[in-house]
Amino acid sequence: MACFLLLKAVKHTEVIAPVHGKSVMEICIFFLYAMILLPGIAASVHQVKSFLNHTAYLSCYFPNSQKTDIKDLRVFWQKGAAEVVHEVYYGQEIHDNLSPKYINRTKMDMEKWTLQLLNAGIVDEGEYTCIIQHRDKGSPKVIHTSECLLHIIANYSQPEIAWLHTGEQKPSEYVNLSCSSSGGYPEPKQMTWLISRENTTYTQIRHMDVSQDAVTKLYNVTSKLNIIVPTNTLTNISCLLHLGKQMGSLVSVPLGIEIRGEEMEQMKINFFGPLIAVIILITLLLGFVILKKNRNISSTNQSLSSPGFVVHGKDPDADIRACPSL
């Protein structure tokens, strides 16, 4: 592995400054010897995560304990064995050897020895190697190498449950549900269904259908659940999308389902039927009483308005008739 890393460095060095008078075997021997004397040269892989379309930060992890001037160093980054990502040639950034897809997309922070990869995409995932050479009287010497493994992350949408059944759900019928999430990266591990009723929760794992967009490389996932839900009992169902140990999980909004059984419906009929009949009967009686009362009032008004009406049972002409004629 060490010789392989050095061969990558030598391959790049031959592009910008050939290594004179040294064979590949000699370089490997030198590198192995340097690993013993200078442990800092040995490369270690560092895991780096970056969100899609954000800036990725790749560090060389160079301690520079000797406080070496940047003008005495050559720093370059490469991806894999062939793509040159960034290059600082004795204090000056040069772009002649860069891979076209990295032009105008990288910046080097020499104080922190960190490469900034702008607008990181899924195609940028992979292993990056930082190689630092020191100016010497002879050929440049490799004094430090390090590797970063870049992982790109894209957030999935919150899982959403959809009811596949059409029409009214009847007792003892299967409940058909689907749970979907989209636009994420990398591919998730699995999707779990959470079923809760009466303070008890249990899980079910179903097959997860995964599709990847050919252009964006983002994933869409769907899982389906077919179960029989007990009648007359509230059941809450959620789905949990597992994204990995370091990325956590996403959970859907719970879906509450309660299916009324035939006995419950019959109980409703037995209870509400007589109640409704009583209410109707009372309403009819009240209507009859009100109607009768209105008729009595109407008859009284008609009597008051007729001729010869006697006030307090006395005829107003009675006193005149009782007096004798003078």
Side-chain angles (χ1 to χ4, degrees), residues 17 52 67 177 182 267 322:
L52 180 67
K67 305 298 180 182
L177 304 174
S182 61
M267 288 177 61

Side-chain angles (χ1 to χ4, degrees), residues 69-321:
D69 194 327
I70 185 63
K71 294 181 180 180
D72 294 326
L73 298 175
R74 299 169 62 189
V75 182
F76 56 95
W77 282 87
Q78 63 186 47
K79 182 183 179 185
E83 294 182 301
V84 179
V85 179
H86 194 84
E87 183 176 354
V88 180
Y89 186 79
Y90 299 128
Q92 298 293 326
E93 291 184 322
I94 59 176
H95 308 281
D96 297 341
N97 303 309
L98 299 186
S99 175
K101 68 180 181 181
Y102 293 108
I103 295 176
N104 297 325
R105 290 187 58 213
T106 58
K107 295 180 181 180
M108 187 72 181
D109 185 344
M110 298 308 301
E111 293 184 359
K112 297 181 180 180
W113 302 96
T114 299
L115 177 70
Q116 300 178 24
L117 178 58
L118 309 179
N119 195 30
I122 295 176
V123 294
D124 294 319
E125 273 197 325
E127 186 178 282
Y128 292 79
T129 305
C130 172
I131 303 172
I132 300 179
Q133 297 175 326
H134 183 264
R135 189 201 301 266
D136 202 353
K137 293 180 181 180
S139 60
K141 294 182 179 180
V142 176
I143 62 172
H144 179 80
T145 63
S146 66
E147 290 185 345
C148 290
L149 188 59
L150 176 61
H151 303 276
I152 300 298
I153 300 172
N155 288 327
Y156 282 84
S157 63
Q158 183 180 17
E160 184 175 353
I161 297 178
W163 195 307
L164 301 180
H165 183 84
T166 57
E168 183 180 357
Q169 187 74 39
K170 297 180 179 179
S172 301
E173 284 186 347
Y174 276 92
V175 173
N176 299 318
L177 304 174
S178 71
C179 183
S180 303
S181 180
S182 61
Y185 191 90
E187 183 177 351
K189 302 301 181 182
Q190 67 180 15
M191 186 174 281
T192 303
W193 291 88
L194 306 177
I195 304 167
S196 302
R197 66 173 68 96
E198 297 179 345
N199 299 324
T200 301
T201 301
Y202 64 96
T203 62
Q204 290 193 15
I205 299 177
R206 293 291 186 266
H207 173 72
M208 182 175 65
D209 294 320
V210 181
S211 62
Q212 187 177 26
D213 189 277
V215 178
T216 64
K217 304 301 181 184
L218 299 178
Y219 288 100
N220 301 320
V221 295
T222 301
S223 178
K224 295 182 179 180
L225 177 69
N226 301 320
I227 61 170
I228 294 179
V229 176
T231 57
N232 309 322
T233 302
L234 178 61
T235 301
N236 289 311
I237 300 178
S238 305
C239 61
L240 190 66
L241 182 62
H242 301 273
L243 302 176
K245 184 180 296 184
Q246 298 181 352
M247 295 177 62
S249 303
L250 291 174
V251 65
S252 70
V253 175
L255 175 65
I257 301 175
E258 186 172 9
I259 300 175
R260 296 295 182 180
E262 295 178 357
E263 294 181 359
M264 183 64 70
E265 296 298 328
Q266 187 62 41
M267 288 177 61
K268 287 183 179 180
I269 294 174
N270 294 338
F271 176 77
F272 288 106
L275 180 61
I276 293 173
V278 170
I279 293 174
I280 294 174
L281 180 60
I282 292 174
T283 302
L284 291 175
L285 289 175
L286 288 175
F288 177 76
V289 170
I290 293 172
L291 179 62
K292 186 176 181 181
K293 185 176 181 181
N294 290 338
R295 286 180 177 177
N296 291 336
I297 294 173
S298 177
S299 298
T300 303
N301 291 336
Q302 290 177 1
S303 299
L304 290 174
S305 61
S306 61
F309 178 73
V310 178
V311 179
H312 300 294
K314 182 177 181 181
D315 189 348
D317 297 329
D319 292 339
I320 298 176
R321 291 195 300 270

Side-chain angles (χ1 to χ4, degrees), residues 7-27:
L7 286 174
K8 292 196 291 184
V10 170
K11 180 175 181 180
H12 177 78
T13 303
E14 289 175 348
V15 175
I16 58 177
V19 180
H20 300 288
K22 291 185 181 293
S23 66
V24 173
M25 183 61 66
E26 289 174 332
I27 294 173

